[in-house]
Amino acid sequence: MLPNKPYLVRAFYEWICDSECTPYVVVDTTVDYVEVPEEFIENNQIVLNLTPSAIRDLVMDNRYLSFTAQFSGVIKNIYAPIASIVAVYAKENGRGMIFDANDEEEAGHPMLEPIPKGFKQASDGGDESAGGKTSHLKIIK
């Protein structure tokens, strides 16, 4: 089976937003290809606010999370492979999900392998390693 992590991240994000709460994700910054502002990293992690009004060009697919946001007044492009996401939760009440970093079912699965920013998927509209079309959530303001 395909790993469920990317689907759960998207589902919790949507649920948190629909509940009018603030969606946060925690990213493990030691995972390859993570691109976040280094000055906000603490203990090899960064907490990112994914409130739709605070970010632009959000993409959450089976391989990565990316968006643009302001950090201390400076616009930054954020890129985090799904493998780097440690948790997704609501700021207001902490409800959400923490992911097991040692999940044997997902460890080493090609769908969750970190990929460099700008990776282009096959032009046939799908990610063959994921068994067909890749699921996308893209919010454009």
Side-chain angles (χ1 to χ4, degrees):
M1 278 190 89
L2 296 173
N4 60 14
K5 186 175 184 178
Y7 302 95
L8 291 170
V9 170
R10 288 191 299 269
F12 273 96
Y13 173 80
E14 187 175 328
W15 173 64
I16 292 165
C17 288
D18 287 352
S19 298
E20 298 181 4
C21 289
T22 308
Y24 276 11
V25 295
V26 180
V27 174
D28 176 354
T29 60
T30 65
V31 173
D32 290 341
Y33 308 116
V34 169
E35 293 183 23
V36 296
E38 291 184 19
E39 61 270 26
F40 298 101
I41 296 172
E42 291 183 24
N43 300 318
N44 294 323
Q45 293 184 338
I46 188 168
V47 178
L48 300 170
N49 177 347
L50 297 185
T51 301
S53 62
I55 62 175
R56 299 253 186 251
D57 303 323
L58 175 66
V59 174
M60 263 192 262
D61 75 6
N62 288 345
R63 290 189 174 264
Y64 66 90
L65 159 74
S66 70
F67 61 92
T68 303
Q70 284 192 24
F71 291 82
S72 299
V74 178
I75 296 175
K76 301 278 187 177
N77 294 317
I78 305 303
Y79 184 83
I82 291 295
S84 70
I85 297 177
V86 174
V88 56
Y89 66 95
K91 173 188 172 187
E92 292 76 6
N93 58 22
R95 294 189 64 191
M97 184 166 207
I98 297 171
F99 298 99
D100 181 1
N102 300 315
D103 187 338
E104 292 182 23
E105 182 177 309
E106 294 184 355
H109 193 286
M111 187 168 99
L112 294 184
E113 285 299 309
I115 56 172
K117 186 176 181 179
F119 172 78
K120 299 292 184 195
Q121 300 216 358
S123 61
D124 65 2
D127 173 4
E128 294 173 20
S129 68
K133 291 199 172 204
T134 302
S135 219
H136 292 278
L137 170 65
K138 183 168 185 171
I139 300 172
I140 300 173
K141 297 249 174 199

